[in-house]
Amino acid sequence: RGGIGGLCTALQKKLPAGSLRTGAVPLEFGTGHGKIDSVLFEQDGKKRRVACRQVVSTIPLTGLAPLFREDHGPAASCRGIKYRSLIVLFASMKRQEALRDHWLYFPEKEVFFSRACELSNWSPAFAGEGGALPITFEIFCDEGDATWKMKDEDLLKETERSLREMKIFGEFETADFTAVRLPNAYPLLYSGFEGPLEDLKAALAVYGNLELCGRTGAHAYLDMEECLQSAAAAAARVLAK
């Protein structure tokens, strides 16, 4: 009812108090005897190193590889690994009615966004007030490119232009909006990506207590349920050790 964040909240409630750190940026791995034995991270402006028995990584491989400062193998092998970034524009729009479908894809180059999601079709709790219905627009881009650098107001302006040209809503008025930029949202599976990915995973496999997990961490195009299965499988392997 409250969105996918409810899953994370429920999982967090099962953890011991103080066992979850957020906003901690990993800086460096300490390694030895084919294992990662410590992690140096920065949180709230302070650096701290903690010992570890197991590392499960869901961060981009391009961010993971440089953490092996004493071993240049992973960093040297990640040059062919690429990700596609995403801007999600959340808009509350006054219109006659919600769209019938909740996922709509727009492959045409003339359309500014690539996918739209009608949130009120997921749950009545997402429906707006005063005739305004929330909808999300996904705008694919590369981190740092011209689209990524656009002002939020211009993102909305281009989105509205495409909507009016397609006449998909009929008459509408935007009541409120916000934009969220997500770097490394999708693994980029370009022609020939398999070679660099296999080389990097081979370099990382040297460390027996490292698990790669999820769409971003394993660089695999996984759906949500497959991400959950990937996490369960990683947990099972850790427990088996």
Side-chain angles (χ1 to χ4, degrees):
R1 180 176 181 84
I4 193 63
L7 176 62
C8 300
T9 301
L11 289 170
Q12 182 180 350
K13 289 179 180 179
K14 295 178 178 287
L15 297 173
S19 62
L20 180 66
R21 295 180 181 273
T22 58
V25 180
L27 302 175
E28 179 182 278
F29 287 142
T31 59
H33 306 290
K35 290 186 177 182
I36 302 171
D37 51 36
S38 68
V39 182
L40 175 68
F41 65 91
E42 184 173 353
Q43 186 179 32
D44 298 328
K46 297 180 180 179
K47 294 181 180 180
R48 181 183 175 190
R49 184 179 293 273
V50 294
C52 61
R53 293 164 54 192
Q54 188 75 32
V55 174
V56 179
S57 175
T58 63
I59 67 174
L61 294 177
T62 49
L64 176 70
L67 299 180
F68 294 91
R69 299 290 177 86
E70 299 174 358
D71 179 3
H72 299 295
S77 302
C78 77
R79 293 170 184 162
I81 306 300
K82 301 177 181 179
Y83 290 88
R84 187 77 162 143
S85 296
L86 175 68
I87 300 174
V88 183
L89 180 71
F90 298 89
S92 178
M93 293 183 165
K94 295 182 179 180
R95 42 203 167 99
Q96 292 297 317
E97 58 183 359
L99 299 172
R100 182 186 62 186
D101 302 304
H102 56 265
W103 285 123
L104 297 98
Y105 291 81
F106 301 89
E108 297 86 357
K109 291 183 178 180
E110 296 78 14
V111 180
F112 183 63
F113 48 88
S114 299
R115 187 165 67 176
C117 172
E118 185 69 85
L119 289 175
S120 58
N121 285 340
W122 287 46
S123 167
F126 292 163
E129 299 177 352
L133 292 167
I135 188 167
T136 65
F137 301 96
E138 297 179 50
I139 304 162
F140 294 101
C141 57
D142 289 322
E143 183 179 6
D145 69 8
T147 302
W148 180 270
K149 294 178 180 178
M150 286 178 68
K151 295 180 179 179
D152 291 358
E153 293 79 6
D154 293 332
L155 294 172
L156 176 65
K157 187 181 299 183
E158 287 299 309
T159 297
E160 290 179 330
R161 175 190 58 77
S162 291
L163 289 172
R164 291 194 170 94
E165 290 177 355
M166 289 187 294
K167 301 179 181 180
I168 190 171
F169 282 171
E171 294 297 323
F172 69 90
E173 179 185 351
T174 302
D176 196 10
F177 77 98
T178 189
V180 177
R181 289 163 176 77
L182 303 172
N184 308 305
Y186 289 92
L188 188 58
L189 310 183
Y190 63 92
S191 177
F193 81 95
E194 297 91 345
L197 183 59
E198 289 174 2
D199 290 343
L200 177 54
K201 286 190 174 182
L204 295 173
V206 171
Y207 300 94
N209 63 338
L210 171 64
E211 293 283 346
L212 304 179
C213 191
R215 171 185 280 186
T216 309
H219 204 272
Y221 201 98
L222 305 179
D223 290 332
M224 176 62 75
E225 67 274 16
E226 292 172 321
C227 287
L228 294 172
Q229 292 167 356
S230 172
R237 289 192 296 269
V238 171
L239 292 172
K241 295 176 184 178

